[in-house]
Amino acid sequence: AWGRCKVHQPRRVKATMPVKFTKQLSSHLFKYVKTIDIKFNPFDGRTRSAREVFRQVQAERFKKANPKLVISHTLLNTAEAPSVTFKFVDGNEKLFDSQLFTAREIIDEVLLNTMQMDTQWQLEDKNIDDVA
C-alpha cells in the first residue's frame, strides 16, 4: 500500500480565478472521504492550518452528508511536523505536511480529488450513496 499514499508538496501556480465549491457540492464530495487523521502540537506555531482543517471538517453538514466519516486527531508533545491525512473510499490516501499548506489549499486539493472520483464513478455508473 506504499504506492497509494503520497505526501503532497505545495503547488504554487499563477494567480487565476480560484475554484469555488458550493456548500452543497462540498458536502456531497465529502461522501468520498472515509477517514481524516490530523496530528499537531497545539503549542507549535506551525500547526495553524492543521487546527483550522480540524475545525472545518467538523461542520454539521459534513456529518449529515457522511455519517460514517471518522475524524481523529492526535495531540503531539514533540517537534514532529503537523500532518493531515485523508483516506478515501477507493483506498487511496493523501498525506499533507500541513505546515506547507493553508487550510484552504488542503481542503481544495481534497475536493478536487473527490470531484475527479465523483466524475469517474458517474462514468462507471456507480453511486456513492450505495457505498457511503
Side-chain angles (χ1 to χ4, degrees):
W2 285 101
R4 299 185 79 128
C5 179
K6 181 180 178 188
V7 176
H8 286 281
Q9 298 299 320
R11 289 188 284 173
R12 303 291 181 215
V13 295
K14 290 183 179 179
T16 59
M17 189 83 160
V19 177
K20 177 70 174 153
F21 294 97
T22 64
K23 286 185 178 184
Q24 182 180 8
L25 178 60
S26 63
S27 297
H28 168 73
L29 294 175
F30 252 76
K31 292 179 181 182
Y32 291 93
V33 180
K34 197 173 192 177
T35 64
I36 304 170
D37 183 35
I38 302 169
K39 297 179 182 178
F40 63 91
N41 180 332
F43 304 109
D44 187 338
R46 303 172 298 167
T47 65
R48 178 176 284 163
S49 63
R51 291 189 319 246
E52 180 60 17
V53 167
F54 182 55
R55 186 192 68 77
Q56 288 183 23
V57 298
Q58 293 183 74
E60 190 63 34
R61 64 190 174 96
F62 294 136
K63 292 177 188 174
K64 285 182 181 177
N66 186 355
K68 293 182 181 179
L69 175 62
V70 175
I71 302 169
S72 64
H73 69 284
T74 304
L75 297 179
L76 305 172
N77 61 0
T78 64
E80 183 179 336
S83 66
V84 180
T85 305
F86 286 82
K87 294 183 182 174
F88 304 97
V89 295
D90 67 355
N92 287 319
E93 63 182 55
K94 284 189 181 258
L95 170 63
F96 295 91
D97 179 343
S98 68
Q99 66 185 336
L100 304 175
F101 296 89
T102 65
R104 178 78 286 157
E105 290 170 330
I106 293 171
I107 297 293
D108 284 352
E109 180 72 25
V110 168
L111 291 175
L112 287 171
N113 185 66
T114 55
M115 184 181 285
Q116 290 175 345
M117 202 179 309
D118 188 50
T119 301
Q120 186 62 38
W121 280 44
Q122 287 179 12
L123 291 172
E124 295 173 5
D125 206 23
K126 293 181 184 177
N127 188 342
I128 188 61
D129 294 321
D130 296 338
V131 175

